[in-house]
Amino acid sequence: MTTKTSLVMLFGLFGAACSSAIAEPPRATPAAEAVCRGGEVASDAALRKFADCTRVDGDLVLNGVSDLEPLAHVHAINGTLSIGHTSALYSLSGLERLCSVDALRLTYNARLIDASALDGVKSVQRIEIAHNPRLCARFGLLTSLQTPAAKADLRFNAGLSSADVQSLAARWTHLSAVASR
């Protein structure tokens, strides 16, 4: 091997080592299906225990949280997802991978504006969206729902216009709605 060939190989190895050393580490994703049991969560710190979950078996009740990013890997909830009584939750970011949930309850979320993270949900049996005064459909609200909900209750969401409610009613069967201002 010539000196020139050795130098080219050495610089090639050095360049590869340097480029991989400065590359941003990949985002950690669970290697396989990680099933977690549902439960009641009353803080952002407690929600972090779901960070590696891809599926939740049982009801998941979230009260008073402000960040749903720990749920970023969850694609299915075999139970009810209940998000309520929050005062610092503005969007449902972190739920973008959710495709299926037995029941969905969004209640008493004082500052919730954007529910577009739920636009990937294709299957839900029951929906209750109530007492979310700032929620609006401008960003999206369950737009990919393929299975009409067996029961949907949409009321006391002052940010949803009558036109929004009518649009949702056209897509969801059995909608009992009261659009209040």
Side-chain angles (χ1 to χ4, degrees), residues 57-147:
D57 284 346
D59 296 343
L60 183 56
V61 180
L62 310 176
N63 289 313
V65 298
S66 63
D67 179 17
L68 301 178
E69 286 301 322
L71 300 175
H73 300 295
V74 174
H75 63 83
I77 298 176
N78 299 323
T80 298
L81 172 59
S82 180
I83 303 170
H85 302 280
T86 66
S87 59
L89 186 67
Y90 292 90
S91 83
L92 301 180
S93 291
L95 297 177
E96 289 83 1
R97 289 190 178 145
L98 186 63
C99 297
S100 173
V101 59
D102 290 349
L104 175 65
R105 292 186 74 229
L106 299 176
T107 56
Y108 297 97
N109 297 291
R111 292 193 172 96
L112 181 63
I113 298 170
D114 180 4
S116 65
L118 295 174
D119 284 348
V121 173
K122 294 174 178 33
S123 174
V124 62
Q125 295 303 308
R126 292 178 314 281
I127 300 170
E128 179 185 1
I129 301 175
H131 301 280
N132 302 290
R134 297 182 67 197
L135 182 64
C136 64
R138 177 180 331 153
F139 305 107
L141 185 59
L142 295 163
T143 59
S144 296
L145 197 58
Q146 294 173 352
T147 306

Side-chain angles (χ1 to χ4, degrees), residues 162-173:
S162 296
D164 293 333
V165 173
Q166 288 174 357
S167 173
L168 294 170
R171 288 187 289 141
W172 300 348
T173 59

Side-chain angles (χ1 to χ4, degrees), residues 41 43-51 60 62 65 67-68 70-71:
V41 176
S43 70
D44 291 334
L47 187 59
R48 287 188 202 108
K49 78 175 190 175
F50 291 90
L60 183 56
L62 310 176
V65 298
D67 179 17
L68 301 178
L71 300 175

